[in-house]
Amino acid sequence: MTTASPAPPVRLVLASRSPARLALLRAAGVEPIVRVSDVDEDAVVRSLGPGVAHTAVVTELAAAKAEVVAETVAAEPDLAVGTVVIVGCDSMLSIGGSLVGKPHDVDTARDRWSVMAGSAGELLTGHCVLRLDDGRITARAARHSGTVVRFGTPDPDDLEAYLASGEPLAVAGAFTLDGLGGWFVDGIDGDPSSVVGLGLPLVRRLLAEVNVTVSALWAGRGLAT
């Protein structure tokens, strides 16, 4: 009686420069290859037209990032052999009828917090998983996740110190759950990993849709055989 050989490990490419997403995947047993898409996000949003649902915006942005990175991966000899999955993500906060991303400057972040403090919003993250076999896209799955975030009301001095730290300027919604901003989050309803920027439960389901298991990703680090 012969035993079937284990499937070769699947490599995961993270289409994001986010250190929080990278840390999340590493903590979950995956060492991703990072490739940044540099997609013109404003152009993608404009192409969707007015009145598009907030959930569609984040999902389309995630797909655009993954698809650009797929072109890069297909041109890399070391990655264009075997099975690779590309994970693209995009997060924005839906609050007060508006969809907001990274504030980039202190004044904008302060204005955002004037709306967020003592209120609640929904952190939306679009996810897109592309499977490549020998450099060719063979399967695709995309969806969004949403988690309600209930914000506290920071002391004015604390808020100014938080803004001065620079952390909220480069993250969706001008806050983090897993960093300094965690002090000012009273609670969440939903998946905490999606608030960090990559919803592990949803990505697991999307991987299954493209016929990739979590254990196949673990195999690359010797965590599964």
Side-chain angles (χ1 to χ4, degrees):
M1 182 177 178
T2 59
T3 303
S5 300
V10 175
R11 292 162 293 174
L12 186 148
V13 175
L14 176 63
S16 171
R17 62 167 52 90
S18 165
R21 290 181 179 130
L22 177 59
L24 184 64
L25 285 170
R26 285 174 169 167
V30 178
E31 184 59 45
I33 299 161
V34 175
R35 296 290 183 271
V36 180
S37 66
D38 290 323
V39 162
D40 185 339
E41 298 184 22
D42 291 338
V44 173
V45 173
R46 285 195 300 271
S47 74
L48 298 176
V52 66
H54 291 176
T55 54
V57 172
V58 295
T59 304
E60 289 300 320
L61 284 169
K65 294 173 183 180
E67 288 161 4
V68 168
V69 168
E71 296 177 5
T72 301
V73 167
E76 295 187 41
D78 292 342
L79 290 177
V81 177
T83 301
V84 174
V85 290
I86 298 171
V87 178
C89 310
D90 189 83
S91 297
M92 300 181 81
L93 181 69
S94 178
I95 188 167
S98 298
L99 188 63
V100 296
K102 304 177 183 69
H104 298 300
D105 63 74
V106 168
D107 289 340
T108 301
R110 186 182 292 109
D111 288 343
R112 298 267 175 86
W113 268 98
S114 71
V115 175
M116 291 157 51
S119 186
E122 187 176 19
L123 198 286
L124 300 172
T125 298
H127 301 70
C128 180
V129 172
L130 302 178
R131 174 175 174 154
L132 278 66
D133 290 289
D134 296 328
R136 183 173 62 88
I137 297 175
T138 56
R140 178 185 188 277
R143 226 162 19 254
H144 80 280
S145 62
T147 298
V148 173
V149 182
R150 299 188 304 277
F151 298 101
T153 302
D155 177 272
D157 289 343
D158 289 343
L159 179 58
E160 290 305 315
Y162 183 46
L163 297 175
S165 75
E167 181 188 85
L169 308 188
V171 291
F175 80 100
T176 62
L177 182 65
D178 58 333
L180 302 178
W183 289 99
F184 313 122
V185 175
D186 283 351
I188 66 169
D189 300 311
D191 170 26
S193 65
S194 72
V195 182
V196 175
L198 186 150
L200 292 175
L202 178 53
V203 171
R204 185 194 73 243
R205 294 192 291 272
L206 296 178
L207 287 169
E209 290 184 28
V210 302
N211 201 29
V212 172
T213 62
V214 172
S215 57
L217 301 179
W218 286 342
R221 294 185 66 181
L223 300 177
T225 58

